[in-house]
Amino acid sequence: MLKVTAIIVAKKVSTRVPNKNMLPFGNSTLLGHKISQLLQCDNVTEVVVGSDSDDILDFCKQFNVITVKRPDHVCVEPMVKHNEMIENMISLIPPTDVVMWSHCTNPNIQPLTYYNAINKFLCLEKEYDSLISVDKVQEHLWDNNFTPTNYNPWDTDHTLARDLPVLWKQNGAIFIQTYENIKNNGYFFGSSPFLFETPILESGDIDTKEDFFMCQTLHKKFFELGLYSPGYLARKNGLIIT
């Protein structure tokens, strides 16, 4: 059986949302909540948390995870390149078969969604060298010059959003590829990634205080109360449901 390692990076300093990884969320913090989600995923073999903060690593001791200390210089944005950060983190984890980056800033991704993303990658590995999570974008868009980019609003017939070309936006929740590939390319994904659509209620990404409020509200209103029915998108895509 292949060994699948889920990686979480949690740096000490966050500028836009101070102390972001340790903000209260659910029954724990954003970081603790993400660890718990990954530990519930049956096809994740191990979870590794990397941080430059001793306090964060000490917090992780209550969970059944591997912790690694990251050098300070690879945790300072924008001074460090993503490739350097990724290459350093990969050098610190035990050898494995498959790597999944799982950011705690996407707190509502459910264990079933991780499970299906891993299975999808394993099924398609001969066709795609990696997998990234995305949101579907099918909206009326304008550029910085106040010009419509994907439709003509002055046409005789108004183009409905459902008839516009489909675009895909990376949401940063899931990146999967083999351990050997990520060691070679030093990036989150390879040259031919599969675009894995995640359920929209799950895929919110926290970059601002407003993002945190929205993700926390969704969690309280849907996930904590059991009002969310996971798997509908996976069923639509013919993925494995348990």
Side-chain angles (χ1 to χ4, degrees):
M1 185 175 179
L2 291 177
K3 180 181 178 183
V4 178
T5 300
I7 291 177
I8 307 172
V9 290
K11 62 182 182 178
K12 176 167 44 180
V13 176
S14 177
T15 53
R16 286 176 290 185
V17 184
N19 200 34
K20 178 167 61 176
N21 295 307
M22 299 302 289
L23 288 176
F25 197 92
N27 296 321
S28 184
T29 63
L30 274 177
L31 175 57
H33 181 73
K34 182 55 59 186
I35 292 172
S36 296
Q37 288 174 323
L38 293 168
L39 291 177
Q40 294 176 58
C41 187
D42 289 341
N43 51 6
V44 168
T45 311
E46 64 186 10
V47 178
V48 179
V49 179
S51 179
D52 57 333
S53 165
D54 290 329
D55 289 339
I56 288 177
L57 296 178
D58 286 342
F59 168 80
C60 292
K61 290 179 180 178
Q62 64 187 288
F63 303 97
N64 184 26
V65 299
I66 299 168
T67 58
V68 295
K69 185 69 179 289
R70 301 169 64 201
D72 292 340
H73 75 276
V74 298
C75 299
V76 181
E77 294 178 342
M79 297 179 63
V80 65
K81 295 180 180 179
H82 271 92
N83 295 73
E84 185 180 358
M85 180 275 291
I86 293 167
E87 288 170 354
N88 174 261
M89 185 61 194
I90 292 301
S91 73
L92 298 175
I93 71 171
T96 186
D97 296 309
V98 175
V99 171
M100 177 171 70
W101 289 82
S102 321
H103 295 128
C104 45
T105 46
N106 302 85
N108 289 324
I109 297 291
Q110 298 300 292
L112 178 61
T113 300
Y114 287 121
Y115 180 89
N116 284 319
I118 293 167
N119 279 356
K120 190 68 174 178
F121 171 71
L122 295 178
C123 290
L124 297 175
E125 188 182 350
K126 292 182 180 180
E127 302 171 58
Y128 301 90
D129 63 3
S130 48
L131 178 148
I132 62 176
S133 59
V134 295
D135 295 326
K136 183 178 180 180
V137 178
Q138 202 169 12
E139 302 171 4
H140 299 94
L141 303 176
W142 294 63
D143 63 21
N144 285 334
N145 296 318
F146 306 104
T147 303
T149 62
N150 61 344
Y151 80 112
N152 180 4
W154 302 282
D155 203 353
T156 53
D157 292 323
H158 172 68
T159 305
L160 299 175
R162 69 187 182 202
D163 296 325
L164 293 171
V166 175
L167 298 173
W168 302 99
K169 179 188 75 172
Q170 284 179 227
N171 57 38
I174 305 171
F175 299 96
I176 304 175
Q177 59 181 321
T178 66
Y179 176 69
E180 291 302 322
N181 280 353
I182 197 169
K183 282 204 305 181
N184 290 332
N185 61 39
Y187 197 56
F188 291 115
F189 52 87
S191 58
S192 57
F194 176 80
L195 305 185
F196 181 83
E197 186 181 0
T198 48
I200 194 64
L201 289 181
E202 297 183 25
S203 62
D205 183 24
I206 299 174
D207 281 324
T208 65
K209 292 179 180 179
E210 291 79 10
D211 293 335
F212 176 74
F213 173 76
M214 287 188 286
C215 286
Q216 191 176 55
T217 301
L218 278 173
H219 179 74
K220 290 179 178 179
K221 296 293 185 181
F222 288 94
F223 301 102
E224 281 189 353
L225 296 178
L227 300 179
Y228 178 74
S229 177
Y232 69 91
L233 191 61
R235 283 192 294 272
K236 171 185 168 186
N237 291 335
L239 300 175
I240 297 172
I241 303 296
T242 59

